[in-house]
Amino acid sequence: MFARKLAPGEYWRAGLNMAVAFESPFEFEKEQEKAAAAEVNPKEALYGAFSQEGEPPAASLVMNHKEVRFDGHIVKMGGVGGVATLPTHRRGGAIRACMEASLRDLYSEGYALSHLYPFSTAYYRQFGFASAARTVRWTVRLQDLRALPQVEGTVRQLFPGDSLAPLLEVYNKMYGDVNFSCLRETFDKALEGDQPLAAKRWVFVWYDSAGAPGGFLVGTRQKDTLHCVPEFSSKDAFLFASPQALMGLLGFVRTAFIANFEDIQFCVPAHIDLTALLPELSGMNCSSVLNGMARAVNARALLELCRCQGEGRLVLGVTDSIIPENNRSFALCFAPGQPNQVDPTNEAPDVTLDVGDLAVLLGGARDGASLAYTLGVQVHRPSPALGQVFYSKPCHILDLF
């Protein structure tokens, strides 16, 4: 089994694989027409795995080309999506071939990270991915929102033809210093024109007393719940750049929708703790949800860019079964005001870990204290530098692939 990038005229094959794997519709004639006019898309690459050239691909995946924030830098990230294998070829190494080809291409093209949303975390661990930050899903009864203090501000509903610029402005305020967050040209193209109304979605923006947008929600009805959770089936949203924006949105929801819904459901990154803000809401409920998985594509690049605390030195033994350039030990030297010095070394490592754990630890999804509870990580020599390199930071990725 081997894998390669698909040519534009073959893209429909990946679509067919996804339709079979995910039991979704596929319009053959329309896809053939699109294939005849297809061109290379710089924002994504499609890969197929083949038993031999000339046959249809046994499996396929889509590698989305993104840029993300990482410790004050912008780095290239490949978001893995559309992973699909035809039933007759499952468990035959087809996806492994696609993953290996696509990840090696990412490395050669200067990418630093890769991210995905798994159907099984154990399955993707074999490709070097590790569970990343968490999302906290809140469900709050509208009648309990009476306990919130009132804040100044106004809410405006967006209709077809209205500018979506306020949504992107809020997104950048909320995620501007959050590791792994994607840069976006627009918040969500699916909110353009009359698409929201056709999909029975509402878009509301909260503005502060100075007229600046500070939060918004994109919601749909799910029985008696105002659903504002980003999911593959419905990419709803609930974003706020300040506590005032949060309270303003929730206050509006109670006033406007208490006769329509019993509760509201929304998500926040794990680094935003709302328990102190919403301490007495008897009907509230929150649960943690996995925020996907991540891996380093270029371990040395991440070590050179990571933001360390104080001054120190750490030798890291990195393992990677797919990208051989990562599979070695690196000596990391850091000091305030100085760029990190990273060099390959033959020294015995202070800690050994794979490229998945390296990514999520440097990203701040977990801290040094988690090393003892992470299978596969070996601390050979306890060192203060472990806590200086691996510590909690705002880390979250809102994009779905």
Side-chain angles (χ1 to χ4, degrees), residues 25-181:
F26 184 82
E27 299 184 53
F28 183 79
E29 292 183 359
K30 288 185 178 180
E31 293 300 325
Q32 290 293 295
E33 292 176 4
K34 288 168 57 177
E39 297 180 352
V40 173
N41 185 350
K43 294 185 178 181
E44 65 179 21
L46 280 68
Y47 287 81
F50 302 83
S51 297
Q52 61 183 23
E53 197 63 74
E55 293 184 351
S60 56
L61 66 76
V62 181
M63 187 63 76
N64 298 274
H65 296 158
K66 302 278 188 176
E67 289 184 312
V68 299
R69 300 172 176 94
F70 176 75
D71 279 2
H73 305 277
I74 304 299
V75 301
K76 296 165 72 175
M77 185 275 290
V80 181
V83 179
T85 308
L86 295 176
T88 53
H89 294 279
R90 288 175 182 165
R91 295 177 176 82
I95 291 302
R96 171 167 289 279
C98 286
M99 292 293 295
E100 290 180 351
S102 59
L103 288 170
R104 286 170 182 159
D105 281 352
L106 288 184
Y107 182 90
S108 66
E109 294 164 9
Y111 283 72
L113 286 163
S114 184
H115 195 97
L116 57 79
Y117 288 86
F119 73 92
S120 164
T121 55
Y123 179 79
Y124 285 104
R125 281 291 315 192
Q126 65 181 310
F127 305 122
F129 289 86
S131 297
R134 295 176 295 112
T135 296
V136 180
R137 180 172 296 186
W138 287 83
T139 302
V140 182
R141 294 189 308 187
L142 298 197
Q143 64 180 3
D144 288 330
L145 293 174
R146 293 188 181 92
L148 287 180
Q150 299 295 310
V151 296
E152 295 184 3
T154 58
V155 173
R156 176 187 169 194
Q157 183 173 5
L158 297 190
F159 292 106
D162 289 337
S163 171
L164 300 180
L167 309 187
L168 184 62
E169 184 175 343
V170 171
Y171 172 75
N172 287 331
K173 287 178 181 177
M174 185 174 180
Y175 283 90
D177 194 30
V178 176
N179 281 349
F180 294 178
S181 64

Side-chain angles (χ1 to χ4, degrees), residues 139-269:
T139 302
V140 182
R141 294 189 308 187
L142 298 197
Q143 64 180 3
D144 288 330
L145 293 174
R146 293 188 181 92
L148 287 180
Q150 299 295 310
V151 296
E152 295 184 3
T154 58
V155 173
R156 176 187 169 194
Q157 183 173 5
L158 297 190
F159 292 106
D162 289 337
S163 171
L164 300 180
L167 309 187
L168 184 62
E169 184 175 343
V170 171
Y171 172 75
N172 287 331
K173 287 178 181 177
M174 185 174 180
Y175 283 90
D177 194 30
V178 176
N179 281 349
F180 294 178
S181 64
C182 292
L183 273 64
R184 296 188 179 188
E185 296 177 357
T186 184
F187 178 74
D188 184 356
K189 289 185 177 295
L191 299 177
E192 296 177 351
D194 60 359
Q195 294 183 82
L197 291 179
K200 300 180 181 179
R201 305 171 80 193
W202 303 284
V203 183
F204 296 97
V205 182
W206 180 86
Y207 295 84
D208 64 20
S209 56
F216 69 87
L217 71 83
V218 180
T220 55
R221 173 182 288 278
Q222 287 193 0
K223 296 183 179 180
D224 293 324
T225 295
L226 178 57
H227 181 269
C228 301
V229 177
E231 297 174 321
F232 285 103
S233 58
S234 180
K235 292 185 179 179
D236 298 330
F238 191 97
L239 272 67
F240 50 91
S242 68
Q244 291 75 23
L246 169 65
M247 290 185 286
L249 282 172
L250 291 177
F252 160 75
V253 167
R254 184 190 71 82
T255 301
F257 292 116
I258 195 165
N260 305 92
F261 299 100
E262 290 187 1
D263 51 43
I264 180 174
Q265 189 174 88
F266 60 94
C267 288
V268 298

